[in-house]
Amino acid sequence: MSLSTEDWTAIWLTIRLCSYTTLTLMVIATPLAWWLASGRSTFRNAVQAVVALPLVLPPTVLGFYLLIALGPRGFIGGTLEDMGLHHLAFTFEGILIGSILYSLPFAVQPLEQAFSNLGRRPIEVAASLGAGAIDRFISVILPMTKSGFIVAMTLTFAHTMGEFGVILMVGGNIPGVTHVLSTTIYGYTEGMQYAAAGRLSLMLLIFAFIVLFVVHWFNRGFGMIKP
């Protein structure tokens, strides 16, 4: 399978975007999922709805609002411009923010389900033995919910790799900056270069199969993504 320099650039940019999105979401999703799994706040249902919103919201809608917010006249982009910095529309940082928001439920929901299945008993036993919060997380929570973390990371990485609408709206299709695999395939198809589009599509198809195999392998015991 022969790939062009442009293809390899898009592949490495996609891997970079997926890796940054996954690592960032693990940091954000872990405490959020724990709070959703164990909290009894009146705002819990509202937060769950917000987290699941990308599952039912068209990506172009989310991409449109992000484009406005991150652009030179938006709240975030305009503030950066006033500070002498560049706005985030049509930048790698912009599509990273879009990917984090759009992949949020794929990180939070598996972790929330894993924490719910764990229950409070193991944590309470560890606390009664004098284990601190960090020790409880490393010694009890993490080992007993590792399947949930693996599923969350795998789904987040894979979902980010397949993103198109949000990426195109927020980042456009700038080579070396926002030109990821999904937009590369779109560009090839639009230019009727079907052989090149087919090669990259086959790569993503094989990757998707491997991801689903891994998810089903580790997902024996708790439910998955739900809107």
Side-chain angles (χ1 to χ4, degrees), residues 151 154-155 210-220 224:
V151 170
T154 305
L155 283 176
I210 295 173
V211 166
L212 290 176
F213 181 85
V214 171
V215 168
H216 283 292
W217 180 266
F218 286 100
N219 192 31
R220 293 169 291 176
M224 230 38 280

Side-chain angles (χ1 to χ4, degrees), residues 13-72:
L13 184 64
T14 303
I15 292 174
R16 181 184 169 203
L17 177 64
C18 294
S19 300
Y20 286 5
T21 300
T22 302
L23 291 175
T24 303
L25 276 178
M26 287 302 100
V27 174
I28 296 173
T30 299
L32 178 57
W34 179 260
W35 178 78
L36 290 173
S38 58
R40 296 293 182 269
S41 172
T42 54
F43 298 104
R44 182 172 176 270
N45 289 336
V47 173
Q48 285 179 318
V50 171
V51 168
L53 199 58
L55 294 175
V56 296
L57 190 68
T60 49
V61 174
L62 178 60
F64 170 76
Y65 284 116
L66 281 174
L67 178 62
I68 298 301
L70 300 177

Side-chain angles (χ1 to χ4, degrees), residues 118 135-149:
L118 175 64
D135 190 18
R136 293 197 298 270
F137 178 79
I138 296 176
S139 303
V140 179
I141 299 174
L142 192 57
M144 297 184 71
T145 59
K146 63 181 180 180
S147 294
F149 278 93

Side-chain angles (χ1 to χ4, degrees), residues 177-194:
V177 181
T178 62
H179 194 56
V180 296
L181 275 174
S182 59
T183 57
T184 301
I185 294 172
Y186 172 78
Y188 279 144
T189 304
E190 193 175 38
M192 289 194 276
Q193 301 180 51
Y194 296 130

